[in-house]
Amino acid sequence: MNGEESPRSTERAARARAGVLRLHRLRWLRLPGYVVVCWAGLGIALAAREQLGRYDLGTELAVLAGFAQGAAVVLALWRPLQAWALSLAGVVVAALTARPVLVGHPLPGPSWPWTTAEVLAQALVLLLLALRVRPRLSFSVLGATALMTWLVQGLIGGANYTSTGVTAVGVFGAVVLVGTALRGLGEARTQLVEQETITAEERARRTVLEERNRIARELHDVVAHHMSVISIQAQVAPHLVPDPSEELKENLAGIRQNALEALGELRRVLGVLRSENPEDPYGLGAAGAGAAPDTPQPTLDRLDALLENTRAAGLDVAAVIRGDAPAYPPGVQLSAYRIVQEALSNALRHAPGSQVRVMLGHHARGLYLEIANSRPRHPVRPSPGAGHGLLGMRERATMLGGHVSAYPTLHGGFAVSAFLPRDGVACDLEDAEDIGALEGLELVFPDDPPALPAPPGDAHEPHDEPGDREHPLRPSTREGKR
């Protein structure tokens, strides 16, 4: 998860790739259906030609009428309305042409006006049409088919024949009902998928906004502290200068007044972003946490207490600090603390009993963090969390011009690494090439790490790298490196 990438662009690219794969998959799935329909059309064309031979239509007209039914079945795959018109026209032409032959025909007469092959062809065409068009048009086509059947058989009529009009219309009605039901089921599924997609997108968008509001509430204290300092300094400054001029006093009074007005505006902003939970006005804890609004925001100096609390919860935590810590801005320290806090919370939920290493690397350009845990040693219980912790980390790092990466490790654990620029300003890519995971940070957590007693009189282990120091709260065990 890189803070430099836009989540919407990444989501669009993933959706486009999924759409392309789905399109290719659907094409391959449709190919067998096309083959089956084409073979069915060929079989219906041959059967219709044989049945129409009983009407004494002649070879040319029988072949033409038969293959019109087969062609209509195949055409219905792409143009169902035109296919229905072609099939019905072929039936009407064949029935009217065969009508004189029915006079004096020995009983029982041939099936008229619909032969068995024509019923099958028209049924397939109506089924494909009902799957493609709206129900109103499907039933309109069914009504037109029934009306044409009644005109040919009821009004025009014939002499000696076996009536198939009622049976054919009944079959067509059942086919249209089935096709309409299948179409409605498909539309319902499509709408459900679309609604779920929209809901997921809205949930993700709302989560981003909630994380940003949470960060804004936390940064309120930092900004308010600076504005308060400005106000106090502007008030005290005239007393530090002998015989200050009136112009200087007016300027300092204006600075103090602007600082106080800015504090008032910040309070209004906080009121807009306030939590719905009255017991948690900053939205930093769970319901009933009772977080006081005047509680100072945490900094890197409070990492010791955070690590100690995590060890008390059952994790084996080691902390390593590299380099000398410069004076980071409060916003950088707050974001670093929250990233470490969220990573340790994820390890508690998803890797109970694991070993965790927290590394802080102080560089000239900024602060590098890595929190890596081994595979869980105890059964993982279902977590009620929404899974948005990594999103909050990314938002915090992006706000400062940094980045966050989260990835599974080779030993079955998980690692979160982050870089926060020293002054909260994004570094140039060319200048940031040497910033990243330091050598030796890929950890190997053995199942049963052997206890290696330290040599007598030596408080430090002989393999410590220069610039590394074990955290003072860490028990005297170390992990292997590779």
Side-chain angles (χ1 to χ4, degrees):
M1 183 178 296
N2 194 328
E4 298 176 355
E5 296 181 358
S6 172
R8 292 187 178 180
S9 61
T10 304
E11 184 179 356
R12 287 196 213 99
R15 195 182 307 165
R17 289 193 296 268
V20 172
L21 292 176
R22 193 183 305 113
L23 181 60
H24 287 295
R25 192 181 300 115
L26 288 176
R27 287 177 178 176
W28 282 106
L29 291 177
R30 290 177 179 177
L31 184 59
Y34 291 162
V35 174
V36 171
V37 172
C38 291
W39 277 106
L42 179 60
I44 289 174
L46 296 177
R49 177 187 175 279
E50 293 295 330
Q51 293 182 7
L52 291 174
R54 300 180 60 187
Y55 290 163
D56 296 332
L57 299 180
T59 303
E60 295 79 4
L61 186 57
V63 171
L64 181 61
F67 275 87
Q69 300 300 319
V73 172
V74 178
L75 181 62
L77 291 172
W78 296 277
R79 296 289 186 271
L81 196 60
Q82 290 82 348
W84 165 79
L86 175 62
S87 176
L88 186 61
V91 171
V92 172
V93 170
L96 295 180
T97 306
R99 183 175 178 274
V101 181
L102 302 179
V103 179
H105 196 285
L107 296 176
S111 300
W112 190 84
W114 293 89
T115 65
T116 303
E118 292 172 340
V119 171
L120 291 177
Q122 187 75 354
L124 284 176
V125 170
L126 289 176
L127 177 62
L128 294 175
L129 184 142
L131 292 174
R132 296 284 298 276
V133 302
R134 295 181 178 180
R136 180 181 300 178
L137 182 57
S138 299
F139 286 105
S140 299
V141 168
L142 176 62
T145 304
L147 178 62
M148 186 61 65
T149 302
W150 177 76
L151 290 176
V152 173
Q153 180 177 340
L155 290 184
I156 300 175
N160 299 330
Y161 64 91
T162 302
S163 175
T164 56
V166 176
T167 303
V169 172
V171 172
F172 300 155
V175 168
V176 170
L177 288 176
V178 172
T180 303
L182 292 177
R183 172 182 169 81
L185 181 61
E187 289 181 347
R189 288 181 177 178
T190 302
Q191 294 176 359
L192 180 60
V193 171
E194 291 178 353
Q195 188 62 36
E196 290 179 351
T197 303
I198 294 174
T199 303
E201 292 177 352
E202 290 297 330
R203 187 184 299 114
R205 190 176 298 108
R206 185 174 63 251
T207 302
V208 172
L209 294 178
E210 290 175 355
E211 289 294 335
R212 291 176 179 175
N213 290 343
R214 178 186 175 96
I215 295 171
R217 289 193 295 266
E218 293 181 356
L219 291 179
H220 165 269
D221 289 348
V222 177
V223 179
H225 170 73
H226 287 297
M227 298 305 298
S228 300
V229 172
I230 293 173
S231 175
I232 294 172
Q233 289 177 342
Q235 185 179 8
V236 174
H239 302 285
L240 302 179
V241 180
D243 299 328
S245 63
E246 292 298 327
E247 183 179 3
L248 177 60
K249 290 181 179 180
E250 292 178 0
N251 289 335
L252 291 176
I255 293 174
R256 183 174 184 275
Q257 183 63 30
N258 289 333
L260 293 177
E261 291 178 359
L263 280 174
E265 295 298 331
L266 280 176
R267 293 190 187 96
R268 293 189 183 93
V269 172
L270 184 63
V272 174
L273 300 177
R274 66 184 181 274
S275 174
E276 296 180 358
N277 180 15
E279 297 182 357
D280 188 11
Y282 284 128
L284 302 180
D294 55 354
T295 302
Q297 295 298 339
T299 60
L300 293 177
D301 296 334
R302 296 178 58 184
L303 276 180
D304 294 352
L306 176 62
L307 298 179
E308 189 62 31
N309 292 337
T310 307
R311 294 191 187 103
L315 286 184
D316 184 9
V317 183
V320 176
I321 301 175
R322 295 189 174 186
D324 297 328
Y328 293 111
V332 175
Q333 296 196 46
L334 173 60
S335 296
Y337 181 91
R338 292 301 185 193
I339 290 174
V340 175
Q341 183 184 39
E342 183 62 35
L344 292 177
S345 299
N346 289 339
L348 280 171
R349 287 194 298 266
H350 305 295
S354 62
Q355 294 175 307
V356 183
R357 178 176 180 178
V358 179
M359 201 285 297
L360 277 73
H362 301 288
H363 298 268
R365 298 188 182 91
L367 174 63
Y368 177 80
L369 304 170
E370 182 176 82
I371 304 91
N373 63 269
S374 66
R375 57 180 175 271
R377 295 179 179 271
H378 305 304
V380 181
R381 297 179 180 179
S383 175
H388 299 138
L390 294 177
L391 179 61
M393 298 182 194
R394 184 189 61 80
E395 290 295 330
R396 294 180 185 276
T398 304
M399 175 187 63
L400 299 172
H403 60 82
V404 171
S405 298
Y407 47 88
T409 57
L410 296 178
H411 51 70
F414 200 79
V416 175
S417 62
F419 174 75
L420 305 178
R422 180 173 179 176
D423 298 325
V425 180
C427 302
D428 294 336
L429 295 178
E430 296 180 357
D431 297 336
E433 290 180 354
D434 58 340
I435 298 175
L438 302 181
E439 182 179 0
L441 288 182
E442 178 65 29
L443 308 180
V444 176
F445 296 92
D447 293 333
D448 297 313
L452 299 177
D458 188 2
H460 300 280
E461 295 187 25
H463 298 291
D464 285 345
E465 298 179 3
D468 288 13
R469 61 178 182 276
E470 195 76 22
H471 195 278
L473 297 178
R474 172 69 174 105
S476 59
T477 59
R478 290 180 62 88
E479 306 86 349
K481 296 181 180 180
R482 66 177 179 185

